[in-house]
Amino acid sequence: MKALGNRSGLPLKQLGLIAFGGLLIAGIGLGFESAFLLGLAAYTCAFAIFALSVNIMLGGIGEVPLGQCVFFGIGSYAPAIVMQQGGYPFEVGILIGMTVSAFLAILIGWLTLRLTGAYFSIVSWGLSGVAMVTALNLEVTGGPLGLFGFTRLAIGPFDLSSPKVYFIASAVILLVVLVFLAHVRSSRFGNALESTRQSSHLAQSLGINVFRERLKALVLSAPIAALAGSLCIPYTQIVTPEVMSVIRTVDALLAALIGGTSLLIGPVIGAVIFTILPQLMHFDANVKVLVFSLLIIFIIMVAPGGLHQLYKSAVARYRHGKKERA
Amino acid sequence: MDLFVQTVINGLILGSGYALVAVGLTIIFGTLHIVNFAHGAFFALGAYAVLTLQNFGVPYLLAIPLAAIVVAVIGYALELSIVRRALYDRGEHGSIIITFAISQAIVSAIILVIGPDPIPVKSPFGQTAMSVFSYFISAQRLFIAGTALVVLVGFGLWLRNSTKGQQILAVSQNAKGALYSGINVPLIRSLSFILGVAAAGLAGSLLAPLISAFPTMGDANVTIAFTVVILGGLGSIGGALLGALVIGLSNAFFETYVSVSWTPALGWILVILVLLLWPQGLLGKAQLNRH
């Protein structure tokens, strides 16, 4: 139960955390001038939102949702298609992407969430395979070349083509998503999910409709993934069938696992490590995959709770050692 | 009619290749109770092992068994260092992610060491095609089907008639019971893992001349192998063979009569349909992976 953290935390503490987040955003947004760094930071926020969405499934109900990239991809393709084919603004595309992915999640979840474990993961992976082949073969998605050359990427009055605005906008959206998820966690639904994850049979016997709670979790996670997909467009400037690739989900899974799946903020920490570290070390993309794959094997073997578990046990050991010396 | 018979022949030959990959997958699931998401990486390792051995001047026919052995050795090293410590008797949650991570690590290592581009693999059969009753079969495909058949029959006989084979079956039926009757369960699990990945490596080395060697070559084949294995019932070897033929035929028919560019999606759609409609598979035992 400790996994839920400060569920009955004081509103004051929450407000303090939100204020801290706001200050951090303002500090980074105003303090840095480099367009490259700001763009990267904005992309990290978008990626963190996707990792949070994946973690609703991974940390929330204990399934490995390999096909979560389908919702991410819909979130990327929807604004791109809407802008290029219909000439509608970016925001409309984001909303369409989120709505479509939520409805698709109802359908997909209704079909697949009765399966668990590897079976669910394989079907979920399968959906991403179908989605990628579909994106490759359809005309409206631009085939293998994808869609690019977007003229106006803006949310309301905020023009995302300026790196500073792009960063502040995506960081604020990330903060809003975090606050929203914190409320979901401490709600009745959050508790029901946690009990479902720990023991679905026990939860069922207590009168929780396990299937419906799992479905709710997927429907909650899908629009968040779509939102992340939309927010990546100003950084990537192109949408190709690759957005549906299972590799994208795996990246988010790694981020969530590195940061710790039981921690609300875990996926965000993981996403920051996952995008910033390779840039600092000038990793080649393949070296990055190799290093993080090995890291994740190491983490699952040594500290299944993620890096914060390592940190906690290190602190505990340090205190223990101090006591012995005294 | 000619096209129809030709399609059936292609489907049966395709199915024999799938069967090799699928049998490895199903044996690992049967005894270790993990779904080996890294199976495709071992498939690719088999192809690259053949490629490397050929570069050292080893002839293709000799390189095939050697490649299977190389993959088996790599598999054994991973089994000892990771799989054994992290996976047995833990939740599936961890095993999915760890085997996936192993797969990614192997693929990126291949890219770093050898490169991302497809490399053609030479085979003594080349492009020659044989004509049997006026139907054309490429010699390489016939060789694949023949080898797969021999290996699978030999493996089946070995499982049925040897002590070790019986022990593998015992562990997959009831690991605790096998342990109580004095079977060395960890050894049997290692053996199954090694045999499973060696089968994947063998399939990779056989199919490499047809599709050339590239780092993610395993993905497509393993997704199909998942379909095959699930259709046949996870853990059932006879089921895997039956599933392989069904999937091989349906793939060949889809490719000939419907569309080539949508064929990759067919494998996935079949996986999804099979899992939703017959999750216990055609010959599998009813299992509890459902609410």
Side-chain angles (χ1 to χ4, degrees):
Chain A
M1 274 297 137
K2 68 171 192 283
L4 283 173
N6 54 330
R7 69 166 76 176
S8 57
L10 294 166
L12 202 65
K13 193 175 169 191
Q14 284 190 8
L15 283 177
L17 281 175
I18 295 169
F20 174 72
L23 279 177
L24 196 66
I25 294 169
I28 296 175
L30 300 176
F32 284 89
E33 285 303 324
S34 153
F36 170 74
L37 281 182
L38 283 170
L40 187 67
Y43 176 72
T44 307
C45 292
F47 179 58
I49 295 174
F50 184 49
L52 282 170
S53 153
V54 165
N55 198 38
I56 294 175
M57 301 298 286
L58 183 69
I61 64 173
E63 298 290 359
V64 182
L66 290 174
Q68 202 76 2
C69 49
V70 173
F71 304 123
F72 182 93
I74 289 171
S76 287
Y77 268 113
I81 293 172
V82 161
M83 279 189 290
Q84 295 217 323
Q85 310 285 334
Y88 293 103
F90 186 51
E91 308 89 307
V92 175
I94 298 179
L95 290 179
I96 290 177
M98 290 173 72
T99 318
V100 169
S101 63
F103 278 106
L104 193 66
I106 297 177
L107 182 68
I108 291 177
W110 183 71
L111 285 171
T112 65
L113 276 171
R114 290 184 194 280
L115 302 165
T116 61
Y119 282 65
F120 173 77
S121 298
I122 294 172
V123 168
S124 177
W125 188 12
L127 287 170
S128 84
V130 173
M132 203 164 147
V133 176
T134 308
L136 274 171
N137 283 302
L138 287 185
E139 235 167 69
V140 71
T141 53
L145 291 180
L147 298 169
F148 46 87
F150 310 114
T151 44
R152 183 182 164 276
L153 294 170
I155 300 178
F158 305 108
D159 184 6
L160 299 186
S161 52
S162 143
K164 199 162 269 191
V165 179
Y166 176 36
F167 167 71
I168 293 179
S170 38
V172 168
I173 292 174
L174 171 62
L175 195 63
V176 171
V177 171
L178 272 175
V179 171
F180 172 67
L181 287 181
H183 277 276
V184 169
R185 270 192 169 217
S186 53
S187 70
R188 210 184 123 70
F189 165 61
N191 292 341
L193 267 193
E194 178 62 18
S195 68
T196 307
R197 184 184 68 80
Q198 288 183 0
S199 164
S200 67
H201 294 293
L202 184 60
Q204 189 94 52
S205 73
L206 290 172
I208 294 171
N209 185 337
V210 171
F211 174 66
R212 190 185 297 167
E213 299 301 327
R214 286 157 62 88
L215 185 59
K216 275 194 211 162
L218 185 69
V219 175
L220 173 72
S221 73
I224 297 177
L227 180 64
S230 304
L231 282 177
C232 282
I233 295 180
Y235 181 76
T236 54
Q237 293 289 338
I238 182 169
V239 182
T240 62
E242 283 295 303
V243 292
M244 305 277 197
S245 156
V246 69
I247 303 297
R248 193 163 301 274
T249 314
V250 174
D251 287 350
L253 284 171
L254 295 186
L257 285 162
I258 289 170
T261 51
S262 59
L263 213 61
L264 175 62
I265 197 99
V268 182
I269 300 172
V272 171
I273 297 175
F274 193 80
T275 47
I276 305 291
L277 197 66
Q279 289 287 344
L280 284 180
M281 315 270 283
H282 297 288
F283 276 166
D284 173 68
N286 291 302
V287 180
K288 174 177 152 183
V289 175
L290 185 60
V291 167
F292 279 98
S293 305
L294 295 177
L295 180 65
I296 213 64
I297 293 171
F298 173 77
I299 284 183
I300 291 195
M301 289 173 76
V302 179
L307 283 184
H308 90 105
Q309 185 189 342
L310 279 183
Y311 167 76
K312 267 189 185 164
S313 57
V315 168
R317 195 168 297 169
Y318 173 71
R319 287 205 181 126
H320 189 70
K322 237 164 115 180
K323 223 181 277 171
E324 275 188 354
R325 261 180 269 129
Chain B
M1 192 58 202
D2 274 3
L3 186 64
F4 181 82
V5 176
Q6 183 77 54
T7 310
V8 169
I9 293 173
N10 287 349
L12 290 178
I13 289 176
L14 207 60
S16 63
Y18 296 154
L20 263 188
V21 186
V23 161
L25 207 56
T26 208
I27 265 247
I28 293 178
F29 181 83
T31 49
L32 278 72
H33 295 287
I34 59 170
V35 175
N36 184 19
F37 281 90
H39 216 64
F42 289 104
F43 179 87
L45 275 179
Y48 276 93
V50 162
L51 195 69
T52 316
L53 287 165
Q54 278 186 327
N55 283 346
F56 283 112
V58 181
Y60 178 69
L61 289 180
L62 182 62
I64 290 174
L66 286 178
I69 293 171
V70 168
V71 174
V73 169
I74 297 174
Y76 186 49
L78 286 173
E79 204 272 341
L80 275 184
S81 57
I82 299 171
V83 179
R84 170 171 297 195
R85 287 155 200 266
L87 296 188
Y88 296 162
D89 301 322
R90 289 226 199 148
E92 276 176 298
H93 180 134
S95 78
I96 295 168
I97 293 166
I98 286 208
T99 50
F100 220 102
I102 291 176
S103 147
Q104 293 235 296
I106 292 176
V107 169
S108 54
I110 290 177
I111 294 177
L112 287 172
V113 174
I114 298 176
D117 300 321
I119 306 171
V121 175
K122 286 186 291 293
S123 141
F125 303 105
Q127 299 297 321
T128 49
M130 292 203 262
S131 126
V132 182
F133 299 119
S134 80
Y135 298 112
F136 284 103
I137 309 168
S138 91
Q140 177 69 26
R141 285 180 190 271
L142 206 60
F143 173 65
I144 293 171
T147 316
L149 202 66
V150 169
V151 169
L152 288 172
V153 169
F155 186 62
L157 288 176
W158 180 78
L159 275 183
R160 233 167 252 286
N161 297 320
S162 73
T163 317
K164 280 276 179 292
Q166 287 289 312
Q167 290 184 342
I168 289 183
L169 292 180
V171 172
S172 70
Q173 278 164 13
N174 182 347
K176 261 197 187 126
L179 188 67
Y180 293 150
S181 13
I183 293 174
N184 186 347
V185 173
L187 178 79
I188 293 299
R189 282 178 167 168
S190 301
L191 188 64
S192 318
F193 189 80
I194 295 166
L195 285 173
V197 298
L202 181 67
S205 63
L206 285 171
L207 286 168
L210 287 184
I211 55 178
S212 2
F214 54 99
T216 53
M217 64 190 290
D219 288 1
N221 282 283
V222 163
T223 53
I224 291 169
F226 274 133
T227 335
V228 167
V229 166
I230 291 165
L231 184 65
L234 269 171
S236 151
I237 292 171
L241 299 185
L242 186 64
L245 292 184
V246 171
I247 302 287
L249 283 174
S250 50
N251 249 338
F253 274 98
F254 191 85
E255 211 165 57
T256 312
Y257 290 106
V258 188
S259 151
V260 174
S261 60
W262 286 89
T263 303
L266 176 73
W268 283 123
I269 292 169
L270 286 172
V271 175
I272 295 165
L273 286 180
V274 165
L275 267 182
L276 294 176
L277 300 177
W278 305 279
Q280 75 282 11
L282 295 175
L283 300 182
K285 289 169 280 184
Q287 40 72 49
L288 299 171
N289 260 338
R290 272 166 91 87
H291 282 304

